[in-house]
Amino acid sequence: MRIGELASRVGVSVRALRYYEEQDLLASVGSPSGQRQYPDSAVDRVQLIQQLYSAGLSSRAIVELLPCVETGDVTPELLDRLSAERGRIDAQVSTLVKTRDRLDAIITTAATARSAGRPCPR
Amino acid sequence: MRIGELASRVGVSVRALRYYEEQDLLASVGSPSGQRQYPDSAVDRVQLIQQLYSAGLSSRAIVELLPCVETGDVTPELLDRLSAERGRIDAQVSTLVKTRDRLDAIITTAATARSAGRPCPR
DNA sequence: CTAAAACCTGACGTTGACGTCAGAGGCAAG
DNA sequence: CTTGCCTCTGACGTCAACGTCAGGTTTTAG
């Protein structure tokens, strides 16, 4: 498939895909005419990249971890990096949950106050 | 307290505090000499700001939500914003958890493979 | 064959949350 | 008083993940 189709399948921009290639996150089969060609497996790969990005990983981190994330093979050094990122994500989750709970408390308080007939503040 | 002390107490840079003021997130008592003066409550406030930033909120979102987050008073309009942000955070948490689980799977697989005596790749 | 649509490279623009630097003023200690 | 540290304003720098535009080539539909 060509870059436009891959982009629309995954829901990402063409520019982003070229950027991923520039960052060595994604390879394309160089067609003779100079147009990029991708296998179907590229869809999964791009989705994985997106997932890691949204988890707060940088391009540099992803490019280091991607091979072993796909193959499952990992050196002890990479295992450290994986654990480190896992820890980061874990910490982020817990602070996010705290924040969510805080917002929840406000929301429910406001809701009960409203249903209790208290006038809407201005 | 002055800006340097507040900064070191919360663990944030002086520049960040001035930036918060610029974004109307934080007020300071204007001393006659032009130096900023903060009450003790500023510590909590800055920590809250940090928490919201780390939850992915922008300055603009924070400045809208901060008053009601602190007072608990909220208009119906703000309630919508709160719920929206809550939803965002919720979604983010679930994708983070997915990613974490994926990393976990790799880590444990690698660990068991190692303990099974399989040679370390590379 | 031709025109539209998709693709290419290269390069500059954008955004948010600060970092950093210059130059000047204020403040407590000795 | 002066030395040294803290603070001020103002302004430019940074960084990542793209957006966008220019100018040209390739593919596809009719």
Side-chain angles (χ1 to χ4, degrees), chain B residues 17-92:
Chain B
L17 294 180
R18 288 201 269 252
Y19 175 74
Y20 298 163
E21 181 167 344
E22 194 181 323
Q23 303 294 312
D24 296 316
L25 300 178
L26 184 64
S28 63
V29 185
S31 96
S33 65
Q35 301 209 348
R36 293 172 179 84
Q37 204 67 218
Y38 299 94
D40 288 2
S41 60
V43 173
D44 284 0
R45 176 142 186 149
V46 174
Q47 282 172 346
L48 175 55
I49 293 174
Q50 290 282 96
Q51 184 180 3
L52 294 178
Y53 268 129
S54 70
L57 301 201
S58 64
S59 290
R60 184 160 148 49
I62 296 178
V63 79
E64 287 179 334
L65 300 184
L66 245 186
C68 79
V69 171
E70 280 196 324
T71 68
D73 273 2
V74 55
T75 70
E77 197 179 59
L78 278 180
L79 194 58
D80 281 357
R81 296 255 352 188
L82 281 171
S83 300
E85 294 296 348
R86 192 219 115 97
R88 245 191 10 78
I89 293 174
D90 231 31
Q92 175 118 17

Side-chain angles (χ1 to χ4, degrees), chain A residues 2-4 15 18 34-36:
Chain A
R2 292 192 304 176
I3 197 171
R15 176 69 173 95
R18 289 201 269 252
Q35 300 209 350
R36 292 171 179 82

Side-chain angles (χ1 to χ4, degrees), chain A:
Chain A
M1 68 177 30
R2 292 192 304 176
I3 197 171
E5 189 181 345
L6 178 56
S8 64
R9 275 203 200 172
V10 185
V12 70
S13 74
V14 166
R15 176 69 173 95
L17 294 179
R18 289 201 269 252
Y19 176 74
Y20 297 164
E21 182 167 344
E22 193 181 324
Q23 303 294 311
D24 295 318
L25 300 177
L26 184 63
S28 64
V29 185
S31 95
S33 65
Q35 300 209 350
R36 292 171 179 82
Q37 204 66 219
Y38 299 93
D40 288 3
S41 60
V43 173
D44 285 0
R45 177 141 183 148
V46 173
Q47 282 172 344
L48 175 55
I49 293 172
Q50 290 283 97
Q51 184 180 3
L52 294 177
Y53 268 129
S54 70
L57 302 201
S58 65
S59 290
R60 184 159 150 50
I62 296 177
V63 79
E64 288 178 333
L65 300 184
L66 244 187
C68 78
V69 171
E70 281 196 324
T71 67
D73 273 1
V74 54
T75 70
E77 196 180 59
L78 279 180
L79 194 57
D80 282 357
R81 295 254 354 185
L82 281 171
S83 299
E85 294 296 348
R86 192 219 116 96
R88 244 192 11 80
I89 293 174
D90 231 32
Q92 175 119 16
V93 166
S94 67
T95 73
L96 280 176
V97 167
K98 278 181 201 162
T99 306
R100 186 192 60 185
D101 290 349
R102 186 155 191 175
L103 293 188
D104 270 352
I106 298 164
I107 291 172
T108 59
T109 300
T112 54
R114 185 98 52 81
S115 72
R118 201 160 63 90
C120 175
R122 250 303 249 149

